[in-house]
Amino acid sequence: MEEPATDAPPAGRAPVLSVEGFSGPLDFLVEMVRRHRVDLRQLSILALVDQFVAALEAHADDVPLEQRSAWVVLASQLVLLKAQLLAPAGPEEAERAEEEAQRRMAQLEELALMRAAAEWLGARPQLGRDFHARGQRERPTRPRSEMVLAFLEAVLVMLEGRVGREVTPVTPYRPAPPDLVRMPEALIRIREILTARPAGGPLRHFLPQIPPGHPQAALKRRSAVASTFLAGLQLAGEGVLRLEQEAPFGPIFLSALDATPRHA
């Protein structure tokens, strides 16, 4: 009785390729090229690649991964050799390509030896699959109650070591707050100045006097300008004063609401 046909390649054999001038397994093609029995220039590399990819997809489930990876290496070597033989730039380039091809052939021979060694190792009995090592004795573990008791004893020893020791208080570091002009201060100053002089004046007349030797003079001056301007906006919204600016980026004038406007 005839055995049913199968598309899967035999164990250890590469996929069968069929192009003009050659028909056979991939590894046989590589061997024939190495022995100069097949002219690689006459073979269609596109057809080889198409058939090789189809073979990989067809046997993705029934061929081991290491065997398919060996196929990929063989196919890549053929593609590289074909690329080097297609269009050398000149005689010198052709000679270099031939030398490179010879070197690649030597690498293919080394690959064949490595593949043979891998097949030999794969055929040997495997630990954990064909035979098993002698079982090891389990290390005894302490009961959970003993572990909890040992932890509590360690905590007690650590706490007892602190009894009777004087604890030095640690003073937390609190940096001194910066000397700034706050908005409440600016509101009070604006109201006092407008009460005494309803016509008001430019914004700088409402700023507090800052001594030249003040350690934070620049920071306090900037905070005074910002707080005074915000206070003026708040009082203008409340209907207490009027803010005027005659030109963009020009000085800002503050005056009481019942005072005569500057543009009048």
Side-chain angles (χ1 to χ4, degrees), residues 37 48 70 143 167 184 239:
R37 301 292 181 82
L48 287 174
V167 180

Side-chain angles (χ1 to χ4, degrees), residues 53-64:
V53 172
L56 283 180
E57 295 177 352
H59 306 305
D61 298 329
D62 53 3
V63 175

Side-chain angles (χ1 to χ4, degrees), residues 11-132:
R13 297 296 302 275
V16 176
L17 305 178
S18 178
V19 293
E20 184 178 358
F22 176 81
S23 179
L26 176 62
D27 53 354
F28 181 68
L29 172 60
V30 173
E31 182 66 16
M32 295 297 289
V33 171
R34 184 181 65 83
R35 296 186 180 185
H36 303 286
R37 301 292 181 82
V38 174
D39 189 1
L40 191 56
R41 295 182 180 88
Q42 304 300 325
L43 299 181
S44 172
I45 196 65
L46 181 60
L48 287 174
V49 171
D50 291 340
Q51 295 183 24
F52 178 75
V53 172
L56 283 180
E57 295 177 352
H59 306 305
D61 298 329
D62 53 3
V63 175
L65 178 61
E66 57 271 18
Q67 186 174 351
R68 282 181 283 139
S69 62
W71 297 352
V72 173
V73 173
L74 291 175
S76 63
Q77 295 293 335
L78 285 177
V79 172
L80 181 59
L81 292 175
K82 180 68 173 181
Q84 293 176 348
L85 295 175
L86 282 178
E92 297 180 357
E93 184 67 22
E95 292 179 0
R96 287 195 295 269
E98 184 177 0
E99 293 176 357
E100 180 67 16
Q102 295 297 333
R103 188 177 67 85
R104 295 293 181 180
M105 293 301 178
Q107 291 181 352
L108 289 176
E109 294 179 356
E110 295 179 1
L111 177 63
L113 294 176
M114 294 174 60
R115 185 174 60 180
E119 293 177 355
W120 178 78
L121 290 175
R124 292 178 59 83
Q126 302 294 319
L127 178 63
R129 186 189 65 183
D130 302 314
F131 67 95
H132 302 273

